Amino acid sequence: MPAAEAGPAPPDGDGPGELNATFYTSNNLVPAYAREQLQPIEATLLERNHQALRGRVLEVGCGTGRVTRALVEISPDAEIFGIDISPEMLAYCAGSIPGVSYELRDMREVVAHAAAPFDAVIAPHNVIDAVDHADRVLTFAGLSAALNPGGLLIFSSHNRGFPARTPVGEIPRALGSGNLRRSVASLVRLPRRLANHRRLRRHEVASAEYEIRNDSAHDYALLHYCIDRDAQRLQLSAQGFELLACVDPDGEPVAAGESAEAWPSLHYVACKVAVRTPPVTAGG
């Protein structure tokens, strides 16, 4: 997530999904996100899988159109749909990138959005990580139901193997490292960071399968789900997906058993299998 100046964090919600959603719908983050460019690894994955992007394509969390624009350029004849929970970012995206169908919708409600199955779903920028474990399972189940057999799911997710800047339950540090300007800015924002972290730390989780971390994004105002490659493969398999590729931001494959600890996020490509196995519920 990009650094951005945002207003005070909203009151605590029922859990990570509601809290994060409230933050994104209560703050106009268009200026911060509109500056972002397509990442090289994202461009590579879109190009490698351009054949699957020629039909009905759904982008989950289209934001200000960083990936949407690339989808339109790669597949000008595709039927592209974009959903997001932020009215401001959705309006910006719709105003700057025509030819796409946009809808204000939560990713946990993808099935309700799908009038017909999709051939591919893109979920960039770790958007899948904005909810808790139960809602993550629900989201993957919905994406599976919304895809045609053989359809692709391309997404990124926070890597649990990457050391947390602020370990679960610990207090954010006051100063940046090696840069006076950053250190001063960090010190000025420290009260807000501490207040946000104290409010949200009770939602942090460290389980055998995953972690939910209150990381430094937007001055510790958010909670993010973190998972490693092997646990992610099992989650996908439980919802009818076969993992085709897991790569780091340099495009290097991440093999089974590897933690890829140098990278905060990993990128995945999965295929919906023709015959779906019974899903595993959040408590399973």
Side-chain angles (χ1 to χ4, degrees):
M1 295 288 183
E5 292 296 330
D12 201 356
D14 296 329
E18 290 70 26
L19 186 146
N20 290 339
T22 302
F23 179 85
Y24 279 110
T25 55
S26 300
N27 294 283
N28 183 6
L29 302 175
V30 169
Y33 284 86
R35 295 194 299 266
E36 290 199 324
Q37 302 295 318
L38 191 71
Q39 298 173 19
I41 184 57
E42 292 173 322
T44 297
L45 291 177
L46 293 181
E47 182 59 36
R48 285 179 183 172
N49 298 284
H50 71 275
Q51 293 287 350
L53 304 176
R54 292 183 173 181
R56 285 174 55 86
V57 180
L58 172 67
E59 183 185 358
V60 177
C62 58
T64 55
R66 182 177 57 87
V67 175
T68 318
R69 187 172 289 103
L71 287 171
V72 171
E73 292 173 355
I74 290 172
S75 304
D77 297 326
E79 193 177 3
I80 301 174
F81 300 81
I83 63 172
D84 204 283
I85 62 169
S86 166
E88 291 82 6
M89 287 198 278
L90 200 66
Y92 179 91
C93 195
S96 58
I97 309 173
V100 175
S101 298
Y102 298 99
E103 185 174 344
L104 188 69
R105 185 173 292 277
D106 192 295
M107 66 181 177
R108 293 168 289 188
E109 302 171 346
V110 165
V111 173
H113 169 79
F118 295 102
D119 300 300
V121 173
I122 314 295
H125 218 332
N126 307 329
V127 66
I128 296 288
D129 299 339
V131 295
D132 64 15
H133 182 66
D135 281 343
R136 186 184 184 89
V137 172
L138 176 67
T139 299
F140 278 124
L143 295 177
S144 179
L147 275 166
N148 280 314
L152 288 188
L153 171 61
I154 302 173
F155 69 102
S156 62
S157 184
H158 287 89
N159 176 26
R160 188 181 187 179
F162 181 76
R165 293 181 184 178
T166 302
V168 171
E170 293 190 12
I171 299 297
R173 295 181 180 180
L175 301 177
S177 57
N179 184 294
L180 179 60
R181 180 177 296 179
R182 289 180 182 177
S183 295
V184 171
S186 181
L187 185 60
V188 169
R189 290 154 63 182
L190 181 60
R192 182 166 61 189
R193 291 179 172 183
L194 290 174
N196 285 340
H197 188 64
R198 289 193 184 101
R199 181 175 57 87
L200 300 182
R201 63 188 301 179
R202 70 184 181 88
H203 292 289
E204 292 188 315
V205 175
S207 75
E209 183 178 354
Y210 65 94
E211 289 184 3
I212 293 179
R213 298 174 179 173
N214 172 224
D215 61 26
S216 60
H218 297 296
D219 290 329
Y220 292 85
L222 299 171
L223 290 144
H224 289 141
Y225 192 104
C226 304
I227 190 168
D228 62 31
R229 181 259 186 213
D230 292 351
Q232 183 61 81
R233 183 190 67 80
L234 291 176
Q235 281 188 359
L236 290 168
S237 178
Q239 301 302 332
F241 289 101
E242 177 187 357
L243 179 62
L244 302 180
C246 175
V247 297
D248 66 31
D250 271 351
E252 295 298 320
V254 178
E258 293 183 349
S259 64
E261 62 183 15
W263 301 105
S265 298
L266 299 177
H267 297 259
Y268 298 86
V269 180
C271 175
K272 177 182 175 179
V273 297
V275 179
R276 189 173 171 223
T277 57
V280 174
T281 64

